[in-house]
Amino acid sequence: GENVEQHPSTLSVQEGDSAVIKCTYSDSASNYFPWYKQELGKRPQLIIDIRSNVGEKKDQRIAVTLNKTAKHFSLHITETQPEDSAVYFCAASMGGYSTLTFGKGTMLLVSP
Amino acid sequence: EAGVTQFPSHSVIEKGQTVTLRCDPISGHDNLYWYRRVMGKEIKFLLHFVKESKQDESGMPNNRFLAERTGGTYSTLKVQPAELEDSGVYFCASSQDGLAAYGYTFGSGTRLTVV
């Protein structure tokens, strides 16, 4: 089955810096890669996703890149703010009725 | 619209006891999923309902876990008897269409602690 590795497990940055979280996946059939943000005590929320027919997608300060050949994808957050502090999960799926396989999560701490 | 609702939000039980978790999906969502996150590890799939039928229960760890979705509305996940390793956060998610991996909406989870 699919296996998703996520790094780093924790990431501390200063406000205004950029943050990058990287994930690799094992199953070349995966074609959908969402990122979820979970603030303390709240539900995981989808913040951005990318499908296998594109290499990069951007939404304001957040961007995701996908390299299908290398089977890795990354989340980039620019101009970080304290409210970006949360646990971020990457995931991979083959779409259809398949489920999501998650990475272990990255705790991002943004210091003012 | 109301989101995915889970309760209780927290549960502390003793080893050997029974606990039942409940999930109310978004109204009209046929697809309902249960996931679990053990401390510090990944969120792992448990099972997937389409309406009242179990589409995929390959992630259920053992026969101490029983999930039901009578009538295709809310779902329950019963753990009986609970063991220490069952501790974690249990998430429920729902989606509207058959492309189940698109547009998940998660609940806030139930934090289960088995002591």
Side-chain angles (χ1 to χ4, degrees), chain A residues 32 36 43 51 93 96 100 104, chain B residues 35 37 98 100-102 104 106:
Chain A
Y32 174 65
Y36 285 84
R43 68 193 68 211
R51 305 181 196 282
S93 171
L100 291 172
K104 291 185 178 181
Chain B
Y35 282 80
R37 187 183 190 213
Y102 297 78
Y104 268 30
F106 277 92

Side-chain angles (χ1 to χ4, degrees), chain A residues 31-32 34 36 38 41-46 49 51 87 89 93-105, chain B residues 3-4 31 33 35 37 40-45 48 50 55-56 91 98-108:
Chain A
N31 58 18
Y32 174 65
Y36 285 84
Q38 187 184 16
K42 296 188 177 180
R43 68 193 68 211
Q45 288 193 301
L46 180 68
D49 56 16
R51 305 181 196 282
V87 179
F89 294 95
S93 171
M94 288 179 274
Y97 281 97
S98 66
T99 58
L100 291 172
T101 301
F102 285 89
K104 291 185 178 181
Chain B
V4 177
N31 294 278
Y33 312 84
Y35 282 80
R37 187 183 190 213
K41 297 197 173 182
E42 66 272 27
I43 301 173
K44 291 193 84 169
F45 168 74
H48 170 207
V50 178
Q55 176 76 19
D56 181 355
F91 291 104
L99 296 176
Y102 297 78
Y104 268 30
T105 301
F106 277 92
S108 297

Side-chain angles (χ1 to χ4, degrees), chain B residues 19-74:
Chain B
V19 62
T20 300
L21 315 180
R22 173 167 167 151
C23 169
D24 286 68
I26 292 173
S27 178
H29 280 195
D30 288 341
N31 294 278
L32 186 149
Y33 312 84
W34 284 97
Y35 282 80
R36 174 175 74 172
R37 187 183 190 213
V38 173
M39 179 66 75
K41 297 197 173 182
E42 66 272 27
I43 301 173
K44 291 193 84 169
F45 168 74
L46 296 178
L47 87 159
H48 170 207
F49 283 100
V50 178
K51 297 185 180 178
E52 67 273 13
S53 299
K54 292 176 184 174
Q55 176 76 19
D56 181 355
E57 52 183 330
S58 61
M60 294 287 265
N62 52 60
N63 59 9
R64 295 185 293 103
F65 289 74
L66 175 63
E68 295 180 323
R69 192 183 182 195
T70 306
T73 55
Y74 70 90

